[in-house]
Amino acid sequence: MADKIKTPRTKEVEFGGSLGAFLLMFVMPGTVLFLLLTCNTDDASVLRVPGPLPPLQSLWNPYALILLLGWVSLQAVLYILPLGTITEGITLRDNTRLKYKINAFYAFLVSGLLAGVAVMVQLPLSYVYDHFLQFAAASGLLSLTLSIFLYIKSLAAPESALAPGGNSGNPLYDFFIGHELNPRIGSFDLKYFCELRPGLIGWCLVNLCFMMKEVELRGSPSLSMILVCGFQGLYVIDALWHEEAILTTMDIVHDGFGFMLAFGDLCWVPFTYSLQAYFLVRHPQDLSTTAAIAIVLLNALGYIIFRGSNSQKNAFRRNPLDPSVAGLETIPTATGKCLLVSGWWGLVRHPNYLGDLIMALAWSLPCGLFHILPYFYVIYFTVLLVHREARDEHQCLKKYGLAWQKYCKRVPYRIFPYIY
């Protein structure tokens, strides 16, 4: 029966269609290369090309690739271990619901324990900093290889398993955006695994390696480094602790698994999100206690908005009669669901994005105010979330119609109150 259900052709392409997809497959790796090379210059200026490009052979390091594959393999083993719980995703087009293993937080604890042992026995974790560009190249190669495998696999997938946004019929575009929605090998969900584990947990490990490099150079970690690693570690722990919430995100529900997400999960996240810590190793910053307290309070504000709004939304989705959300005002929709129009979701349409961006700013401030490079994340994330918000708006308008229009009139600001 499922094989008879066909995914309609994708009529509305994104990112500029096939031409945009083609360009992004070069722009994304090129951006990672540019940022890391610039970070390694004395002035870390983004206004000029960072010297001669390294020869291609210098980007190849078999040990970096072996270590990277070992890390991904470790996370895969932790994923399949009988730890955690099993939950179901949303109902698919064929009325089935996939099962997902919720154990990413346990994987983080085991990974953290192993990292702690590595520090205790004085393994040279600074090796990651010294060969970071080569690790990035290995990760890019792994992402491309996985993307090719995913596209080939998708050609044999049943029509019902294809992604609604990646079934355009254009091979280049579908390769980039992802042709199959939930590619699996047996019960091993490739997209779900990559979303939270190798790259996100790896982000924390990379930050630890940078901190150890700073200890090697200066005898102790700086306050700036401690704040950056602490803030980003909290963010990762929060995501892993609330792992089940990812099952309702656009990445899982709508986007296929292709080059965009594969490269994003395995290369973009660990090698650009860690840019502040990478920057601080070569460009140390003095941070006063007053400034540190102010930055901590800013991050706390962002986290309160981010976690409060997400928890409110998740509680309402699970049980609208939950005492924590039962008193909130709602707008009924034709689908039988209701839209929250008070609480955090009465402030702006995407309060979780607002909290995210406030935290992103707090992560960059410990790097000082004289370089734009450490602020790449908050700039990029603003563009990303504004674009994602536009995608959300489009999908919600199609899904909820008049109810969504009514909600938008009640809550006119999208992300930033009184601004946007």
Side-chain angles (χ1 to χ4, degrees):
M1 180 64 181
D3 291 345
K4 296 181 181 179
I5 300 176
K6 295 186 177 182
T7 301
R9 282 291 187 189
T10 304
K11 297 180 180 179
E12 298 178 356
V13 296
E14 302 180 83
F15 304 103
S18 58
L19 177 59
F22 176 77
L23 293 176
L24 282 172
M25 283 190 284
F26 291 93
V27 170
M28 291 166 67
T31 300
V32 174
L33 179 64
F34 173 79
L35 290 172
L36 299 186
L37 288 174
T38 301
C39 211
N40 265 323
T41 60
D42 291 334
D43 57 1
S45 174
V46 299
L47 299 179
R48 58 173 175 267
V49 177
L53 292 176
L56 289 178
Q57 60 267 27
S58 70
L59 295 177
W60 172 247
N61 182 340
Y63 297 109
L65 180 60
I66 291 170
L67 289 172
L68 180 65
L69 291 175
W71 170 253
V72 174
S73 299
L74 170 64
Q75 295 307 313
V77 170
L78 295 176
Y79 174 63
I80 64 178
L81 286 178
L83 297 172
T85 60
I86 302 295
T87 191
E88 292 184 332
I90 67 166
T91 303
L92 301 176
R93 296 183 65 256
D94 59 3
N95 291 320
T96 62
R97 299 178 70 182
L98 295 175
K99 296 184 183 298
Y100 295 89
K101 185 173 290 186
I102 307 297
N103 65 2
F105 185 72
Y106 295 106
F108 176 83
L109 292 180
V110 174
S111 302
L113 178 63
L114 294 175
V117 172
V119 172
M120 291 176 60
V121 300
Q122 298 183 337
L123 287 181
L125 296 181
S126 59
Y127 181 88
V128 173
Y129 175 85
D130 296 334
H131 298 85
F132 199 49
L133 196 60
Q134 295 168 333
F135 276 100
S139 183
L141 177 61
L142 177 61
S143 303
L144 178 60
T145 303
L146 175 61
S147 302
I148 294 171
F149 168 78
L150 290 168
Y151 185 73
I152 294 174
K153 180 182 180 302
S154 71
L155 299 178
E159 283 283 339
S160 61
L162 301 182
N167 191 32
S168 68
N170 184 297
L172 179 61
Y173 179 79
D174 293 343
F175 171 81
F176 175 79
I177 207 75
H179 193 38
E180 188 175 359
L181 182 61
N182 300 295
R184 290 189 164 201
I185 300 176
S187 61
F188 193 102
D189 192 295
L190 294 167
K191 179 169 69 171
Y192 179 68
F193 168 73
C194 289
E195 278 284 302
L196 286 181
R197 296 161 191 270
L200 207 64
I201 300 176
W203 175 14
C204 285
L205 178 62
V206 164
N207 279 353
L208 173 64
C209 293
F210 294 163
M211 181 180 287
M212 298 311 298
K213 180 64 177 182
E214 193 176 53
V215 170
E216 180 182 300
L217 292 174
R218 302 181 186 99
S220 63
S222 65
L223 179 56
S224 293
M225 180 69 79
I226 291 172
L227 289 183
V228 167
C229 294
F231 292 158
Q232 295 180 350
L234 172 64
Y235 186 80
V236 171
I237 290 171
D238 179 88
L240 301 178
W241 182 259
H242 298 94
E243 178 182 7
E244 190 172 344
I246 198 176
L247 298 179
T248 59
T249 62
M250 182 175 288
D251 285 357
I252 299 294
V253 173
H254 181 267
D255 293 337
F257 194 30
F259 181 85
M260 180 180 73
L261 284 182
F263 186 86
D265 292 339
L266 299 178
C267 190
W268 186 270
V269 167
F271 292 95
T272 66
Y273 286 20
S274 60
L275 196 64
Q276 290 94 346
Y278 190 55
F279 171 86
L280 286 172
V281 174
R282 183 159 179 171
H283 307 88
Q285 303 291 317
D286 291 326
L287 194 64
S288 69
T289 302
T290 301
I293 292 173
I295 294 171
V296 168
L297 291 176
L298 181 66
N299 190 75
L301 173 64
Y303 182 75
I304 289 170
I305 297 173
F306 173 79
R307 177 43 43 213
S309 56
N310 277 327
S311 295
Q312 196 173 74
K313 175 184 65 176
N314 294 333
F316 183 77
R317 282 178 173 175
R318 286 194 302 267
N319 179 16
L321 300 179
D322 187 302
S324 65
V325 295
L328 296 177
E329 187 179 354
T330 61
I331 295 176
T333 72
T335 65
K337 297 182 178 180
C338 292
L339 301 174
L340 282 174
V341 73
S342 63
W344 289 111
W345 299 88
L347 175 66
V348 290
R349 296 179 211 166
H350 298 276
N352 51 338
Y353 291 178
L354 174 62
D356 236 336
L357 291 172
I358 292 173
M359 287 189 291
L361 177 60
W363 301 351
S364 302
L365 288 172
C367 297
L369 301 175
F370 300 103
H371 293 86
I372 194 66
L373 183 66
Y375 291 83
F376 169 80
Y377 177 83
V378 67
I379 296 170
Y380 147 75
F381 214 50
T382 300
V383 174
L384 173 71
L385 291 184
V386 168
H387 177 260
R388 177 164 291 192
E389 180 275 331
R391 296 178 73 196
D392 287 341
E393 292 273 329
H394 183 67
Q395 294 296 326
C396 288
L397 182 60
K398 289 200 301 183
K399 187 175 182 179
Y400 301 121
L402 292 176
W404 184 255
Q405 293 178 358
K406 185 177 179 181
Y407 172 69
C408 291
K409 289 181 180 179
R410 287 286 304 274
V411 186
Y413 299 104
R414 299 169 183 247
I415 301 176
F416 304 102
Y418 306 104
I419 298 176
Y420 173 74

